Amino acid sequence: MAERDKNNHLKRWVRIMNKGHGYAGVFNYDNDVDKRIVENSTIEEWRTSMKAEFDVQMGVPQPNPNDPPDFFVSILGQTLNVELVQLVEQEHKRRATKDETPFAGQLFLDMQWSRKRFLSKLAQIITKKGEKYRQRELEIDVLLIHTAETWLNSTEAQTWLEGGNVDAHPSIRSVYLLFEYEPSRGVDRWPVVPVYGELPLDPNGG
C-alpha cells in the first residue's frame, strides 16, 4: 500500500471511530467489510485476554461466512462456536451523533450505570439472543458481549456480577463480557469478565 493510501486509510478509520464524540468508537464501522475487521479484532482481544487471565489457550478464530455463529475456535481439541454482540446503548449513541456530549449535561447523566441497570441490560441481551437461537434450533457455546460504554468499567461490573444473579439461557452455554482497554488496570490487554459458564466446556453438556 502506497504511503498516500496508508494515510487515507488511517484518516478514514479515525473519522469512523470519532463519530458521535467517539462513543464506543472502537466498535464503529461503515460497511460489512469494516464490520468483519472490527469483529476479528474484538475476538482476537478476547483470545489474548483469556490466555493471560484464565490460562485458556485457543486456536486462531475462524470466521463463519454463514453466521450465526460468527466464529469457530478450538480449545483442547474442542471446536466451539462464538457469537459476538455489543453492549452499547444505541439511543445514547444516536444522541451523541447529534452533538450531545457523553462528558457533560443530560447525556452524561443518562449514561451513568448502576448495579440494577447493568444486570437488567445483561439479562436483556442474553434473553434476546438466546430466544433467537432457540427459534433457529441453535446452541451457542460462547456469547461474547463486548462493550465500550464510557462510564462502565470492568471492576464495577465484576463486583455487581458477584453480588447479582444472571440466569443462564438454555441455548447459550457460556457468556463472557469483554471491555475495551482500560489504562487504569496497568496491563495492555482488554479486561474480560465471566458472566456464566467456564471454558473449556464439558463435552457432555455440563
Side-chain angles (χ1 to χ4, degrees), residues 10-124:
L10 178 60
K11 287 178 181 177
R12 177 176 177 273
W13 274 105
V14 169
R15 174 187 61 78
I16 291 171
M17 293 180 69
N18 282 338
K19 287 191 297 185
H21 295 280
Y23 188 159
V26 70
F27 301 132
N28 285 348
Y29 53 84
D30 274 352
N31 54 47
D32 288 343
V33 174
D34 294 347
K35 181 181 179 183
R36 182 53 74 178
I37 291 171
V38 169
E39 289 177 339
N40 271 289
S41 174
T42 300
I43 198 168
E44 281 292 349
E45 292 290 352
W46 177 64
R47 178 187 178 210
T48 297
S49 294
M50 289 296 290
K51 169 61 177 170
E53 299 194 22
F54 302 105
D55 198 28
V56 174
Q57 188 158 356
M58 60 187 77
V60 176
Q62 300 300 315
N64 178 18
N66 302 307
D67 63 273
D70 292 311
F71 291 91
F72 297 100
V73 298
S74 62
I75 302 176
L76 296 177
Q78 287 181 288
T79 298
L80 306 181
N81 59 50
V82 184
E83 265 280 280
L84 275 61
V85 61
Q86 289 190 35
L87 190 168
V88 173
E89 291 285 8
Q90 294 302 321
E91 177 57 29
H92 293 168
K93 192 173 177 71
R94 280 190 289 272
R95 287 167 59 185
T97 63
K98 295 179 179 178
D99 277 344
E100 281 193 78
T101 173
F103 305 102
Q106 190 59 50
L107 181 56
F108 167 78
L109 295 175
D110 292 344
M111 287 174 61
Q112 301 308 304
W113 288 85
S114 66
R115 176 180 177 274
K116 180 179 179 181
R117 179 187 168 204
F118 170 70
L119 294 176
S120 174
K121 186 66 176 180
L122 268 188
Q124 177 188 339

